[in-house]
Amino acid sequence: MFFFRLLSYLPLSVLYLFSDLIYLIARYLLSYRKNVIDENLKFAFPEKSAEERKQIRNQFYRNFTDAFFAETIKMLTISEKELRQRFQVVNQEIIDAEVLKGKSALMMAGHVFNWEMAILGVALNTKVTAETVYLKLNNPFFNQLMLKIRTHFGGVMTEKRDFRKSMITMRSQPRIVHLAADQRPPSSEKRYQRDFLNRSAYFFEGGEFMAKKMELPVFFGTMTKLKRGHYRFEFAKVAEPPYDSHEAHSITDEFCRRLEENIRNQPDLYLWSHKRWKM
């Protein structure tokens, strides 16, 4: 942990030099998950030429190494001033207002770079408690490191297996609950199947269940990369009670529509190396 903390004190401009090297290794030497990325892009963007998809793949490698190495390490010690300069949060007040009225609110987003910075950015900008549901990493050291990073500005992290207990307090302790809603659920869990980027995919519907069961408003977070190391994250309301007239899967379907739009606007920001469409 001490080594990563020391590394984190380096300016991002220096950390990007290391990221540049890792990018070259990932792209040219290892061809990191190239077949998975190419297959995902081919299905998602059949209208694009092979050269256009190659450009997306290569820029993905750049965003991937920047986000997972330079930017994530920097967030361990980043100052409030620098984070505010690098990460803009738009419409934070509209989701805060729901919580200040005494009702928890759900925020659903996808794996669009840099979602880790979004956890810190929201925690820094909100006037209420922000809780993020996460999947525990298999490696204890890196799991602890990521918890240190993600709670740098006071955000609350709840492991997925513990979230059922946490749900009990959502009425008595209103807060923002952040869900990464595009993860692939295992076959052992209840899941919803629908088209996503031109292929059938499965989705968790925990967010939909909570919203309709507890009458909670739902927001989507759109990520935009402005330039290297600078992002904008914008909240928009996608659903609100009463849900009596809503069809089944309505919230998940709207989440998928907005996430697809976010991805198509900047396709190199999505996590294409993930085997998202594996059945």
Side-chain angles (χ1 to χ4, degrees), residues 153-196:
F153 289 108
V156 176
M157 300 301 299
T158 302
E159 210 277 321
K160 183 176 177 290
R161 289 176 296 183
D162 298 328
F163 185 57
R164 287 185 181 274
K165 296 177 184 177
S166 178
M167 282 178 60
I168 298 172
T169 66
M170 286 177 65
R171 283 196 171 95
S172 60
Q173 299 172 28
R175 56 193 182 270
I176 298 170
V177 178
H178 175 193
L179 302 172
D182 62 335
Q183 293 173 329
R184 177 172 58 87
S187 58
S188 58
E189 295 202 25
K190 186 178 180 181
R191 51 192 190 167
Y192 168 48
Q193 186 176 11
R194 56 154 284 149
D195 280 351
F196 179 63

Side-chain angles (χ1 to χ4, degrees), residues 127-146:
K127 292 180 171 61
V128 300
T129 300
E131 176 184 29
T132 299
V133 182
Y134 75 100
L135 289 174
K136 188 176 182 179
L137 298 177
N138 292 329
N139 184 295
F141 172 80
F142 284 105
N143 186 67
Q144 189 62 30
L145 175 64
M146 291 308 300

Side-chain angles (χ1 to χ4, degrees), residues 97-145:
E98 299 287 349
V99 181
L100 291 170
K101 288 188 294 186
K103 180 172 286 189
S104 289
L106 302 184
M107 192 277 281
M108 300 171 71
H111 284 85
V112 180
F113 299 127
N114 187 337
W115 67 82
E116 294 290 354
M117 197 178 287
I119 295 174
L120 268 69
V122 171
L124 180 60
N125 282 274
T126 187
K127 292 180 171 61
V128 300
T129 300
E131 176 184 29
T132 299
V133 182
Y134 75 100
L135 289 174
K136 188 176 182 179
L137 298 177
N138 292 329
N139 184 295
F141 172 80
F142 284 105
N143 186 67
Q144 189 62 30
L145 175 64

Side-chain angles (χ1 to χ4, degrees), residues 2-267:
F2 179 69
F3 168 76
F4 283 100
R5 184 168 289 276
L6 284 180
L7 201 60
S8 180
Y9 283 118
L10 293 173
L12 252 180
S13 57
V14 176
L15 291 173
Y16 280 140
L17 295 177
F18 292 106
S19 179
D20 289 342
L21 177 59
I22 298 171
Y23 158 75
L24 293 173
I25 293 171
R27 177 179 170 182
Y28 294 107
L29 188 61
L30 299 180
S31 295
Y32 175 71
R33 293 198 173 183
K34 178 179 178 296
N35 292 338
V36 174
I37 297 167
D38 284 346
E39 180 185 6
N40 288 341
L41 289 173
K42 187 174 182 179
F43 275 96
F45 303 107
E47 74 283 1
K48 294 185 182 294
S49 67
E51 181 59 31
E52 287 175 319
R53 291 194 294 267
K54 179 181 177 182
Q55 291 175 5
I56 295 172
R57 183 189 74 217
N58 293 340
Q59 189 57 42
F60 159 79
Y61 280 133
R62 170 71 71 188
N63 291 323
F64 179 82
T65 55
D66 278 359
F68 274 82
F69 178 75
E71 292 166 4
T72 296
I73 288 176
K74 184 61 187 176
M75 285 188 291
L76 183 61
T77 60
I78 194 169
S79 68
E80 177 180 331
K81 179 181 178 181
E82 183 173 3
L83 183 61
R84 289 191 186 279
Q85 290 172 343
R86 293 187 174 278
F87 198 88
Q88 304 173 20
V89 181
V90 181
N91 292 336
Q92 179 72 56
E93 67 278 2
I94 67 172
I95 190 169
D96 281 5
E98 299 287 349
V99 181
L100 291 170
K101 288 188 294 186
K103 180 172 286 189
S104 289
L106 302 184
M107 192 277 281
M108 300 171 71
H111 284 85
V112 180
F113 299 127
N114 187 337
W115 67 82
E116 294 290 354
M117 197 178 287
I119 295 174
L120 268 69
V122 171
L124 180 60
N125 282 274
T126 187
K127 292 180 171 61
V128 300
T129 300
E131 176 184 29
T132 299
V133 182
Y134 75 100
L135 289 174
K136 188 176 182 179
L137 298 177
N138 292 329
N139 184 295
F141 172 80
F142 284 105
N143 186 67
Q144 189 62 30
L145 175 64
M146 291 308 300
L147 284 175
K148 287 280 187 183
I149 291 169
R150 290 164 171 170
T151 57
H152 181 40
F153 289 108
V156 176
M157 300 301 299
T158 302
E159 210 277 321
K160 183 176 177 290
R161 289 176 296 183
D162 298 328
F163 185 57
R164 287 185 181 274
K165 296 177 184 177
S166 178
M167 282 178 60
I168 298 172
T169 66
M170 286 177 65
R171 283 196 171 95
S172 60
Q173 299 172 28
R175 56 193 182 270
I176 298 170
V177 178
H178 175 193
L179 302 172
D182 62 335
Q183 293 173 329
R184 177 172 58 87
S187 58
S188 58
E189 295 202 25
K190 186 178 180 181
R191 51 192 190 167
Y192 168 48
Q193 186 176 11
R194 56 154 284 149
D195 280 351
F196 179 63
L197 292 168
N198 301 319
R199 261 198 292 182
S200 183
Y202 286 108
F203 288 86
F204 285 109
E205 283 207 290
E208 174 131 3
F209 173 79
M210 277 192 295
K212 292 181 175 178
K213 182 75 172 178
M214 303 177 71
E215 295 286 296
L216 305 178
V218 182
F219 294 79
F220 180 80
T222 298
M223 185 76 75
T224 304
K225 185 170 185 176
L226 305 174
K227 59 181 180 179
R228 197 178 197 184
H230 293 261
Y231 301 85
R232 182 176 69 242
F233 189 72
E234 183 171 355
F235 284 106
K237 184 180 285 186
V238 300
E240 62 181 336
Y243 291 111
D244 297 343
S245 62
H246 282 236
E247 296 181 0
H249 318 299
S250 60
I251 294 174
T252 307
D253 285 339
E254 180 61 18
F255 162 75
C256 290
R257 188 191 70 77
R258 290 185 183 243
L259 179 56
E260 279 203 23
E261 182 180 12
N262 195 173
I263 293 168
R264 293 188 185 282
N265 285 337
Q266 286 190 295

